Amino acid sequence: MKTLLCLTVAALSLAAADVAFAHGEVSCAAAPRAERKPTSELVQLLKSKGWVVRKLQMFNGCYEVYGFDEKGRPVEAFFDPKTLARVAVQP
């Protein structure tokens, strides 16, 4: 029973590690808070394109957005906080 429990914990730990690195390499140039555009501006921009934003956070200097695109597909996208331009993810 202990062996089964240890194997289960190990498998769950590996699965969590895969999720943490799911988005590949992405980073934006460091920008002081005063130079960043407000997140509300990004949300409004995306909503005007038909997106639904569920969560927005900072990740490696970029705005990371979780939600649904204009076709209703789930999306995780990254945006430069100074320009709000979408940032490509490197595999």
Side-chain angles (χ1 to χ4, degrees), residues 5 81 88:
L5 179 62

Side-chain angles (χ1 to χ4, degrees), residues 1-2 20 41-42 52 56:
M1 191 65 170
K2 274 186 173 180
E41 192 174 325
L42 177 58
V52 175
L56 192 149

Side-chain angles (χ1 to χ4, degrees), residues 3 6 10 14 18 22 31-32 35 41-42 47 53-54 56 65-66 71 75-76 81 86 90-91:
T3 304
C6 289
L14 288 174
D18 283 344
E35 293 179 18
E41 192 174 325
L42 177 58
K47 283 184 177 183
V53 176
R54 294 289 183 217
L56 192 149
V65 175
Y66 292 92
K71 294 182 181 177
V75 66
E76 174 186 19
R86 191 162 180 180
Q90 305 301 315

Side-chain angles (χ1 to χ4, degrees), residues 1-90:
M1 191 65 170
K2 274 186 173 180
T3 304
L4 179 60
L5 179 62
C6 289
L7 289 174
T8 303
V9 169
L12 289 174
S13 297
L14 288 174
D18 283 344
V19 170
F21 300 108
H23 32 63
E25 295 293 322
V26 65
S27 68
C28 297
R33 186 168 292 231
E35 293 179 18
R36 296 181 203 159
K37 291 192 177 184
T39 56
S40 59
E41 192 174 325
L42 177 58
V43 170
Q44 287 304 315
L45 175 69
L46 294 174
K47 283 184 177 183
S48 73
K49 294 180 178 185
W51 285 41
V52 175
V53 176
R54 294 289 183 217
K55 183 178 178 182
L56 192 149
Q57 63 188 22
M58 290 296 290
F59 179 81
N60 283 354
C62 301
Y63 288 145
E64 180 180 23
V65 175
Y66 292 92
F68 300 91
D69 67 10
E70 66 278 356
K71 294 182 181 177
R73 297 175 296 206
V75 66
E76 174 186 19
F78 299 90
F79 298 87
D80 186 293
K82 290 171 89 174
T83 65
L84 301 184
R86 191 162 180 180
V87 176
V89 178
Q90 305 301 315

